[in-house]
Each structure stands twice: as C-alpha cells, then as structure tokens.
Amino acid sequence: METIPPAPGRSEAAADLDAVVDAQHAVRNRPWPKWIYPANTVLLGAMALSPLVEDPERLGVWIVVMIAVFTLNYWAGQVIGTPFALPTSRIFLAAVATSGLFLVAALAIGSMASAPWVVVGCAAGSMVSYGIGSVVHYRSTRR
C-alpha cells in the first residue's frame, strides 16, 4: 500500500515554487561562450545580404547560412547545457526581435526592389541591433 504524504503548507509550497523559478533563471541566464556573439552577428549579416546574390544561388546561400546559424547555436547550447533555453533579458530579446525584423525587411526588399543599398542598410541594422543585444546579454550574465 502506498503512503500519500500530507499536502504542503502555504509557506512550504511558496518556497518550493520560488526554488523552481530560481532554477529556471539559473538555466536561462547561463553565460554563453564569447565567440557566439560575433559569430551570430556575422551570420545574421550574411543571411540579410543573401538577396544580393544572383537568383539561382540565392536560396541555396540562404539555406546554408540558416543551417549554419541553427547548428552553431544548437551546438553552443549543448556545450553549456541549455540548447533551447531563451535568456530572461528583455532587452536582449527585444534586440533579437529587432534584428529579425531587419532581416525580414532585407529579404522582402531584396526580392522586390533593385536597390542594393537598402538591403545593405537592413543588414547593417540587423547586425547592429543584435550586437547591442549581445553586449547587454554578455554583461547581464557575467555578474
């Protein structure tokens, strides 16, 4: 016969939930390797510049760079033990979202217009916004 332990009290349950939140923050705010920030910045720039490549090879270049981004970040996540954890830094997440918007704009504008300077500007915006987020993330995890 199985014994059922008594239900925890209010303070014990609150302490247990606080411990879970602390453990999640410890995992999500683990420091990343220093090299991942510039590597991601360069790969985002390359992905944003892919519309400037001639048409038959454009999709292939984009797919190769996308696979490189995923593989590199998954491998780095495996090394530090958190392959799919998102950081808790809202500034970093906002910078990544902004970088993604610049990337989407570069891809959309590059396929519709023949203005390469706009694509280069969007690529630069993507790299700069991710770079700012990288600095914030690096400083917040190295305390």
Side-chain angles (χ1 to χ4, degrees):
M1 186 166 215
E2 203 174 312
T3 335
I4 299 175
R10 177 173 282 216
S11 62
E12 186 181 347
D16 288 346
L17 288 174
D18 287 341
V20 168
V21 169
D22 291 342
Q24 283 181 337
H25 281 275
V27 168
R28 292 177 65 188
N29 293 328
R30 224 175 206 164
W32 291 358
K34 291 178 185 178
W35 54 265
I36 196 76
Y37 302 111
N40 278 336
T41 303
V42 168
L43 288 172
L44 279 171
M47 198 179 312
L49 291 173
S50 66
L52 300 179
V53 176
E54 294 298 322
D55 201 16
E57 294 89 16
R58 182 179 304 161
L59 182 61
V61 167
W62 190 82
I63 289 172
V64 167
V65 175
M66 181 61 115
I67 289 171
V69 168
F70 177 78
T71 304
L72 183 71
N73 284 283
Y74 180 75
W75 177 75
Q78 286 287 83
V79 168
I80 64 172
T82 59
F84 294 110
L86 290 176
T88 58
S89 171
R90 291 182 182 170
I91 296 172
F92 174 73
L93 295 175
V96 169
T98 303
S99 177
L101 289 174
F102 275 117
L103 175 64
V104 169
L107 296 174
I109 292 169
S111 64
M112 291 187 294
S114 61
W117 61 272
V118 177
V119 174
V120 172
C122 287
S126 180
M127 293 173 70
V128 167
S129 62
Y130 185 83
I132 291 169
S134 296
V135 169
V136 170
H137 182 263
Y138 180 81
R139 288 185 176 176
S140 70
T141 58
R142 299 286 198 273
R143 292 182 190 176

